[in-house]
Amino acid sequence: MEMLDYRKKRLEMEPIMWNEGPSTGEDLASLEFRRVVCEGYFDESKSIYVGPRSRSISGVTENGYYVITPLVPRATGHGSLQTPVLVNRGWVPRGWRDKNIKDSENLEKALESKEADITPNGEGAWWRFWSKKPTVSKAEEPITPTVKVLGVIRGSEKPSIFVPANDPSTGQWFYVDAPMIASTCGLPENTVYIEDINEDANATNPYPVPKDVNTLIRHSVMPQDHLNYTLTWYSLSAAVTFMAVKRIKAKKIRL
């Protein structure tokens, strides 16, 4: 109960404005369960999918994943913090993940095909010298939209003995290991890990589904669960004792 009270108090504190730098001198490990606001853009090419994770929708259980993406903060002024963070954007269905992987593969193939068209096979250095690659000016480059993330600083998950080990080489992630994910994304191992709790739903693009802030407060076994277990086992013990007494009395009467 003290732990739950501690988490509630931390979540009620003023959020840290990450773009302006932490407003406290505390160590990052001690900032767990503090809310944080960060504005920047997601590096979608480095997204990590952790799962499978199930989610109940209208009574139907569906398997999916948590998608974790590096977020590069936007500069807000001189000396503003530019350290990327890992953001658990929430739950996505299995098909959403497969579609994004396929789109990334198609994009890579399109870029390779475009490069092959620029330099036809069989042409030597003469062609490469006279043919000019089309250049894209900064004004024509696609602008990545910035997003504002409201999240909670968290730590890595502690898997049970039944959970397989993560395998970054094959893209198999079964639990959140923040230092390992950060290293795979090319970030320092001490990169901050944040779980998105933004409740603004988008009907046209409902995924990813962020975590509910109430789930962050919960523990695997809540105090109410202990009370339920106590009532259940005492009730079963009383019922078994009553049946045993009736059984013994019936035998004595027959004798």
Side-chain angles (χ1 to χ4, degrees), residues 161-248:
I161 59 175
F162 304 104
V163 178
N166 291 327
D167 187 1
S169 61
T170 60
Q172 297 291 324
W173 297 91
F174 300 99
Y175 63 93
V176 177
D177 185 333
M180 184 182 290
I181 293 175
S183 179
T184 302
C185 294
L187 301 174
E189 290 189 354
N190 62 346
T191 299
V192 173
Y193 168 63
I194 296 172
E195 291 187 346
D196 191 356
I197 58 171
N198 190 2
E199 298 178 354
D200 293 337
N202 188 346
T204 58
N205 188 20
Y207 301 114
V209 180
K211 283 191 174 182
D212 181 8
V213 68
N214 292 325
T215 63
L216 302 179
I217 300 175
R218 287 188 57 83
H219 192 263
S220 56
V221 181
M222 297 290 284
Q224 183 62 33
D225 297 329
H226 287 287
L227 178 60
N228 293 336
Y229 296 154
T230 302
L231 294 175
T232 300
W233 287 110
Y234 271 106
S235 299
L236 290 174
S237 299
V240 171
T241 302
F242 175 74
M243 289 187 292
V245 170
K246 286 195 67 175
R247 182 82 175 184
I248 293 172

Side-chain angles (χ1 to χ4, degrees), residues 6 10 16 18 22 24-34 153-156 190-193:
Y6 170 80
R10 301 283 286 183
I16 299 171
W18 192 255
T24 174
E26 295 179 86
D27 182 66
L28 289 177
S30 67
L31 294 176
E32 189 172 10
F33 291 103
R34 283 291 303 275
I153 298 176
R154 294 300 311 275
S156 300
N190 62 346
T191 299
V192 173
Y193 168 63

